[in-house]
Amino acid sequence: MPAAIRSFLSTIIPLLLVLYTHSTMASLGDTRYVSEKAKRGAVALVGKNTTATLYVDAADHKGVIRALGDLQTDIRRVSGKEATVVHAADGLGQNAVIAGTIGKSALIDQLIAQGKIDPSVITGKWDGFHLQTVKNPLPGVEQALVIAGADKRGTIYGIYDVSEQIGVSPWYYWADVPEQKKSEIYILKNTLKQEAPKVKYRGIFLNDEAPALSSWVAENHGNYNHEFYVKVFELLLRLKANFLWPAMWNNAFADDDPQNMILADEYGIVMSTSHHEPMMRADKEWNRYGEGHWDYARNPEKLADFWADGATRNKNYESIYTLGMRGQEDTPMSENENIDLLETIVNDQRKILSGVFEDRDISEVPQVWCLYKEVQSYYENGMRTPDDVILLWSDDNWGNIRRLPTPEERKRSGGAGVYYHFDYVGGPRSYRWINSTPIPKIWEQMNLAYEYEANQIWITNVGDLKPMEYPIEFFLTMAWDPERWNQNRLQEFGQLWAAREFGAEFAEEIEALMTGYTRHSGRRKAELMDANTYSLVNYDEADRIEAELKDLVARAEALNKRIPAEKKDAFFQLVLHPVKATATVTLLHIAVAKNRLYANQSRADANAYAELAKQYFADDAALKQEYHSLNNGKWNHFMNQPHLGYTNWNNPEGDQLPVTYQYSPGTYAEMGIAIEGGEKVWPDAGGHNLKFDQNGKTQHWLDVYNRGTKAFNYTLTPSADWIKLSSDNGNIETAERILVSIDWSKLPEGASEGRIQAKGPSWNRAHIKVTAFKPNQKLRKKAKGFLEADGYIAIEAASASRGKAKNGISWQEVPQHGRTRSSMTPLPIGDTSFENVGDAPYLEYDLTFFHTGEFELQAILAPSWPFVPGRGLRYAVAIGDEEPQIVDFLAGMNGTDGGWNTSVMDGVRMGKSKHKIEKAGRTTLRFYMVDPGVTVQKLIVNTGGLLPSYLGPEESPRK
């Protein structure tokens, strides 16, 4: 995105937020139609002395009647005044809300017939609703807000849309977001809103629910009964969702409480069972009632009866029937299973459904086959289901979609969907504790899904539900209308969300905090973090991460002081806790890393970092307790998931402090010196060299430290006046960091060498080599673009000098996507691959080299999968006039081999190519699109000096 546009947006978005949230809230991204001031022609929902009458036909769906009761409650919570619910049209007052389902509400049908409303835009559309202010809809009614639903959920969504606009967050219960108090509420004249979702089934999967959610449910509800589930149903409806896979580790939704299924249907939630639970039977029901082996080859009759009972039980309820079969408890099928048997299973399951639904065509009974893990390979090896079955493609459990429909598969009548993950139990390591999925990643992957017409089901594994509130809302909001939320509105989404929950004055800062902590947790999940993650010696990486996190915490704590008292519980859950908790875990590991390194270097201050690590460990436990004490203990147990001390894929039984080292300094004074770029220290090893490049980093450091307990004086003496020190003498008790820089005006072109002599107590003498490269000054003066320095050129992908679109496709920025700045991806997404690179869209970067040779180019990319069968993911790259090289960065990285493990742990894949630079000077790097779906974050040319680190060096200087 050009700088001018970014500057404009940074100015206009806060202004729009103020206008958008003034006095009230709206559904995210919607036009506000509620006012606290009386306006001509407005519907007085709550006037100075009156309240509107709320009407719903007694013959309408139970869920609609119940939802209107929620609106009545919401009006009371917001205004303190009571609105009356009536079921007869003659009971309406001068101002009214008339809610009803087309074909179920006689009054709604009458208003349509009389031409008072025209909901033809949404009539017959799944989950569609029409919301309109109408003057004199009926005798005696001056103004009315009419909510007409194409079906029962459409009506419910329209009702809850009003609740949100008057000031009730969908998270009022699940995150303690308080209502916005108002003495008067008016629905503005000429309000007209007509919407229907773009994705048919939109929902969540409560999974991996122990110890946190299950312990909370046991304490508050006894079991996963209807008292618990109605709270989930209501949340989903307020978020305009309609689909649920229920908790299943130790529970069976329909069997645990018969009211669960009844109320789900009444509320309007479409139920299904997870990817490995066929025919509306929970896995645990086979343990309770099944006879014989869970093996269709050996026990087909008992299994068929078991499945038939499930279909019969759910016949009268809105359900999607999962087909196929996996092993019990979500394990792969046994080795003797084969495609023929699985096809037989699906055919027999469909026969069961045809018998149960004898009054319907089997194609009218919603069915899904989830292509999860090894099941996808059955499909790729030729297994097929009838066209009316929804194919539910899955991600790799780490948020990277493995496969999407081909043009031919898009012709199937059943269509396709995606099963996504915010939480996972399995390899290479479980991640369950806290949100680690940034919304730009969700957008990038689900935009692919939508463009490839996987639009029948979007369901995401949310673990315990809390603390995934933020990504849940984005996922479901995007599912309602993916076209509305493009990559340039992601920051706006965060600010609108924050404004709704906490007020416009806090929105910009809260969005920055949410983006900051989720970017960090998305770099590497907390469960994968250890002392070796961030480099202590190269590119100041660990220190930069530490400073970034401490800044986030300081800003969150400062904001917490300004947040109104009634919103502090919500702020802690949604913002402050995840910021502090995420930071604490990383800071703990950095402290452990320093302790171990410093102990190995015999530093007197090594033990101080062990104590700091212990303090962070205690802080982590204290944060959990603070969370559990919120709102009189309402959310006890929700942070019980262990997240420190992993040694394999599964979590430890409890949080464990990483091993720290104990160093026992001698009762003397002895100097040690460590330098940037290596772990070896003087006097234990030689070869210490501080390397400088005029185009590169302006300062490097050396640490003078004490190996003992007695203080000593030191002096540092450069061998030449071009070596500059931040300090050349002092007294050392533990350690001091000295910054070294170069006066380039005193050096000739080429390589120069000097040294720093260090003198400590007694015999302690050290010589630190300093080398400085001053490039050809004429070449430097003519340089353009990114400058080679310190042995590399590092470029953020969005920093292109220019680019060129082809066939309407261009590389576009996805702001905040990836580990550092942002990412670039070709948009719009389509099926076109550019086999002829000369015809492809490209990005171009100006570079200047000061050395020649054969260099490696590393492309840091999103960890995407080859989602089109028979093809990898390719880009092409060329430096200067060379022929572009086509690189398939997925070559050799299929399945769950080491390449995949590394890519999901690191959150990136890497493409590599070799390039010969035969002449120093200005040139260009072109990065071409070959296949759609390639998303590049960073480019690094290693000219011989690239050092190991997690994120790579910061972007090179640019001229």
Side-chain angles (χ1 to χ4, degrees):
M1 185 188 300
I5 295 177
R6 285 199 299 270
S7 176
F8 170 76
L9 290 176
S10 67
T11 301
I12 196 66
I13 287 176
L15 175 61
L16 292 175
L17 282 167
V18 172
L19 296 174
Y20 165 82
T21 58
H22 178 66
S23 300
T24 188
M25 65 170 77
S27 301
L28 298 185
D30 285 349
T31 301
R32 182 170 57 86
Y33 56 76
V34 169
S35 172
E36 291 184 61
K37 295 182 180 179
K39 308 270 186 170
R40 184 183 297 274
V43 179
L45 200 58
V46 177
K48 288 185 178 180
N49 302 305
T50 61
T51 56
T53 307
L54 312 181
Y55 170 85
V56 63
D57 194 316
D60 212 323
H61 298 282
K62 290 182 179 179
V64 171
I65 297 170
R66 187 205 56 77
L68 198 68
D70 281 350
L71 177 60
Q72 179 189 35
T73 300
D74 291 343
I75 291 170
R76 181 173 62 248
R77 291 170 61 215
V78 170
S79 70
K81 298 176 183 178
E82 191 76 30
T84 302
V85 175
V86 300
H87 303 294
D90 58 6
L92 295 176
Q94 293 182 343
N95 289 269
V97 175
I98 301 170
T101 309
I102 298 169
K104 286 287 287 184
S105 171
L107 182 51
I108 291 292
D109 292 346
Q110 175 187 322
L111 293 175
I112 295 171
Q114 293 174 345
K116 299 285 187 176
I117 62 170
D118 178 13
S120 58
V121 170
I122 57 94
T123 302
K125 288 191 175 180
W126 177 267
D127 289 1
F129 69 91
H130 173 102
L131 191 151
Q132 181 181 355
T133 50
V134 179
K135 183 178 181 180
N136 303 131
L138 297 167
V141 181
E142 294 182 1
Q143 305 288 345
L145 173 65
V146 179
I147 304 169
D151 54 24
K152 68 179 175 183
R153 270 186 304 275
T155 314
I156 292 167
Y157 294 148
I159 291 168
Y160 281 137
D161 199 84
V162 176
S163 284
E164 188 172 350
Q165 287 239 1
I166 69 173
V168 178
S169 167
W171 299 98
Y172 79 90
Y173 174 80
W174 283 102
D176 297 323
V177 178
E179 63 277 0
Q180 295 181 9
K181 299 293 187 182
K182 301 172 183 65
S183 58
E184 297 178 49
I185 308 171
Y186 299 90
I187 309 296
L188 296 174
K189 178 184 177 181
N190 297 326
T191 292
L192 177 62
K193 185 173 183 178
Q194 297 172 308
E195 289 191 8
K198 301 288 198 326
V199 176
K200 187 171 185 179
Y201 298 103
R202 311 162 306 282
I204 64 173
F205 179 19
L206 298 175
N207 191 218
D208 310 330
E209 62 269 22
L213 180 60
S214 291
S215 299
W216 181 84
V217 167
E219 181 174 304
N220 290 276
H221 300 290
N223 197 3
Y224 283 94
N225 54 35
H226 71 278
E227 292 179 358
F228 163 74
Y229 273 112
V230 294
K231 292 178 171 60
V232 178
F233 300 157
E234 183 187 332
L235 171 68
L236 290 175
L237 293 170
R238 286 181 183 265
L239 293 171
K240 294 187 174 71
N242 62 4
F243 188 52
L244 179 66
W245 284 356
M248 43 64 65
W249 266 22
N250 290 298
N251 291 88
F253 178 80
D255 192 57
D256 289 342
D257 183 349
Q259 287 296 306
N260 283 346
M261 197 66 244
I262 294 169
L263 289 174
D265 192 67
E266 284 187 8
Y267 270 68
I269 299 299
V270 181
M271 294 300 302
S272 188
T273 42
S274 69
H275 53 87
H276 71 102
E277 298 176 299
M279 301 289 285
M280 295 303 297
R281 297 307 300 261
D283 181 78
K284 290 297 176 282
E285 288 188 83
W286 182 257
N287 295 344
R288 298 173 188 178
Y289 308 116
E291 298 180 34
H293 296 282
W294 180 263
D295 184 337
Y296 203 72
R298 292 190 288 171
N299 195 19
E301 293 85 4
K302 294 296 183 182
L303 280 163
D305 291 344
F306 177 73
W307 292 335
D309 288 345
T312 302
R313 179 179 62 192
N314 281 76
K315 178 180 180 179
N316 296 324
Y317 307 128
E318 247 186 314
S319 309
I320 301 181
Y321 291 85
T322 300
L323 302 182
M325 190 176 185
R326 290 190 84 216
Q328 270 204 284
E329 297 184 354
D330 198 13
T331 57
M333 296 279 280
S334 58
E335 291 182 3
N336 63 346
E337 302 297 349
N338 55 61
I339 288 175
D340 289 340
L341 177 60
L342 285 170
E343 288 182 337
T344 298
I345 290 170
V346 171
N347 289 334
D348 288 353
Q349 288 169 340
R350 284 172 62 85
K351 289 176 183 177
I352 292 170
L353 292 173
S354 294
V356 171
F357 293 93
E358 56 187 355
D359 56 337
R360 296 167 63 182
D361 188 277
I362 185 64
S363 64
E364 297 175 358
V365 179
Q367 302 152 71
V368 63
W369 184 33
C370 185
L371 303 168
Y372 180 68
K373 285 191 174 179
E374 82 287 344
V375 180
Q376 182 178 321
S377 68
Y378 302 150
Y379 183 90
E380 305 295 8
N381 288 324
M383 179 178 171
R384 292 295 181 266
T385 59
D387 273 10
D388 57 87
V389 176
I390 300 169
L391 296 183
L392 189 63
W393 301 101
S394 177
D395 67 357
D396 60 358
N397 301 305
W398 291 73
N400 310 296
I401 297 173
R402 298 171 65 201
R403 175 78 146 73
L404 288 168
T406 64
E408 190 63 29
E409 289 164 345
R410 290 171 216 159
K411 298 175 184 177
R412 298 178 67 262
S413 59
V418 169
Y419 169 36
Y420 202 73
H421 285 75
F422 298 156
D423 161 287
Y424 179 59
V425 171
R429 188 161 290 178
S430 302
Y431 63 96
R432 305 167 57 191
W433 170 55
I434 207 160
N435 174 30
S436 57
T437 309
I439 63 171
K441 180 178 177 69
I442 300 170
W443 179 87
E444 183 253 339
Q445 287 291 294
M446 298 313 295
N447 180 61
L448 284 174
Y450 182 69
E451 295 297 341
Y452 281 82
E453 297 181 26
N455 55 16
Q456 290 298 295
I457 298 174
W458 283 14
I459 186 164
T460 181
N461 184 333
V462 302
D464 299 312
L465 193 152
K466 296 176 70 65
M468 304 299 178
E469 301 95 337
Y470 188 55
I472 286 172
E473 180 148 10
F474 178 76
F475 183 89
L476 296 176
T477 300
M478 185 178 175
W480 181 266
D481 189 356
E483 295 169 22
R484 188 178 202 173
W485 295 101
N486 63 41
Q487 77 277 14
N488 295 317
R489 296 195 68 193
L490 303 182
Q491 182 184 43
E492 181 187 357
F493 173 87
Q495 293 186 355
L496 292 172
W497 174 85
R500 186 193 67 194
E501 309 299 48
F502 302 105
E505 66 270 34
F506 306 116
E508 189 173 354
E509 179 67 350
I510 288 175
E511 185 278 329
L513 291 169
M514 300 300 287
T515 297
Y517 101 76
T518 53
R519 179 199 284 283
H520 177 73
S521 60
R523 286 171 176 151
R524 193 171 188 89
K525 298 180 188 300
E527 294 84 348
L528 288 161
M529 197 82 65
D530 61 31
N532 299 313
T533 300
Y534 293 111
S535 176
L536 295 178
V537 296
N538 295 325
Y539 308 124
D540 299 320
E541 185 173 63
D543 288 340
R544 287 190 289 111
I545 293 297
E546 184 175 20
E548 174 187 320
L549 293 174
K550 287 182 176 179
D551 177 64
L552 284 173
V553 170
R555 287 159 53 193
E557 290 179 330
L559 193 57
N560 185 50
K561 294 177 181 178
R562 297 170 52 210
I563 293 289
E566 68 274 12
K567 296 182 179 181
K568 284 190 182 294
D569 280 359
F571 185 75
F572 184 85
Q573 293 168 63
L574 297 175
V575 185
L576 185 60
H577 175 270
V579 169
K580 292 182 71 172
T582 300
T584 298
V585 167
T586 303
L587 295 173
L588 183 155
H589 287 299
I590 291 174
V592 169
K594 289 183 176 180
N595 161 255
R596 294 177 183 176
L597 176 62
Y598 293 177
N600 283 326
Q601 292 177 338
S602 302
R603 294 198 189 201
D605 57 353
N607 298 338
Y609 288 95
E611 293 304 313
L612 182 59
K614 292 176 184 177
Q615 182 57 58
Y616 283 129
F617 187 72
D619 291 345
D620 178 77
L623 277 169
K624 177 171 73 172
Q625 290 307 116
E626 187 174 358
Y627 197 108
H628 290 168
S629 67
L630 288 175
N631 201 353
N632 298 313
K634 179 179 177 180
W635 303 117
N636 190 31
H637 303 296
F638 260 105
M639 284 298 125
N640 278 347
Q641 178 59 45
H643 49 279
L644 288 166
Y646 276 74
T647 57
N648 54 48
W649 69 266
N650 202 8
N651 60 262
E653 290 301 311
D655 289 320
Q656 299 171 11
L657 176 68
V659 172
T660 56
Y661 296 171
Q662 185 74 21
Y663 171 64
S664 298
T667 56
Y668 47 72
E670 184 177 350
M671 181 177 69
I673 295 180
I675 68 166
E676 182 177 353
E679 296 184 358
K680 295 180 179 180
V681 297
W682 181 90
D684 299 326
H688 302 297
N689 186 4
L690 288 172
K691 297 180 180 180
F692 288 85
D693 188 312
Q694 188 179 15
N695 294 322
K697 190 176 178 183
T698 59
Q699 294 183 138
H700 292 292
W701 54 260
L702 63 84
D703 288 345
V704 180
Y705 65 88
N706 198 345
R707 300 164 69 96
T709 59
K710 293 184 178 180
F712 65 85
N713 294 321
Y714 75 89
T715 59
L716 299 177
T717 306
S719 64
D721 61 356
W722 51 269
I723 301 173
K724 301 296 182 184
L725 305 174
S726 61
S727 173
D728 59 10
N729 69 89
N731 182 265
I732 298 293
E733 291 187 3
T734 54
E736 182 180 348
R737 177 154 290 184
I738 313 298
L739 299 179
V740 184
S741 58
I742 303 297
D743 184 347
W744 295 100
S745 67
K746 296 179 178 179
L747 282 179
E749 292 180 358
S752 298
E753 184 177 310
R755 64 181 183 179
I756 301 170
Q757 178 177 291
K759 180 180 183 301
S762 184
W763 58 270
N764 293 166
R765 301 287 188 278
H767 298 284
I768 308 300
K769 186 177 178 181
V770 179
T771 57
F773 173 70
K774 186 174 183 178
N776 180 288
Q777 296 301 286
K778 289 183 179 179
L779 186 61
R780 189 168 186 261
K781 188 175 182 180
K782 294 179 180 180
K784 184 179 181 181
F786 292 97
L787 308 181
E788 179 212 345
D790 295 330
Y792 62 86
I793 303 176
I795 309 167
E796 293 291 343
S799 297
S801 305
R802 62 197 69 85
K804 190 169 185 178
K806 292 290 182 71
N807 297 349
I809 302 170
S810 64
W811 287 91
Q812 297 181 35
E813 185 176 10
V814 184
Q816 304 294 345
H817 181 278
R819 304 195 307 180
T820 48
R821 172 180 157 183
S822 62
S823 295
M824 300 293 286
T825 196
L827 296 173
I829 292 293
D831 294 306
T832 302
S833 288
F834 290 87
E835 303 294 342
N836 183 352
V837 174
D839 295 332
Y842 63 78
L843 295 167
E844 190 168 80
Y845 304 85
D846 292 325
L847 313 177
T848 301
F849 286 93
F850 296 91
H851 295 87
T852 59
E854 185 177 66
F855 304 137
E856 181 179 79
L857 170 63
Q858 300 176 359
I860 312 301
L861 304 119
S864 304
W865 277 80
F867 54 85
V868 175
R871 190 191 77 201
L873 277 182
R874 298 168 296 170
Y875 63 87
V877 63
I879 297 179
D881 297 328
E882 69 181 0
E883 194 70 22
Q885 300 179 47
I886 294 179
V887 179
D888 182 353
F889 65 90
L890 296 178
M893 287 193 179
N894 294 319
T896 55
D897 58 16
W900 176 82
N901 284 339
T902 300
S903 73
V904 295
M905 289 191 293
D906 291 350
V908 294
R909 292 191 191 264
M910 183 182 294
K912 296 181 179 180
S913 54
K914 296 283 189 179
H915 303 266
K916 286 186 178 180
I917 306 301
E918 296 179 344
K919 183 180 179 182
R922 289 161 51 168
T923 188
T924 57
L925 183 158
R926 277 193 181 180
F927 194 87
Y928 298 86
M929 173 190 173
V930 177
D931 295 321
V934 172
T935 303
V936 59
Q937 301 179 13
K938 197 169 186 175
L939 301 169
I940 303 175
V941 183
N942 181 3
T943 61
L946 187 65
L947 300 171
S949 66
Y950 187 66
L951 300 176
E954 295 181 276
E955 191 169 53
S956 294
R958 188 178 192 180
K959 184 176 179 182

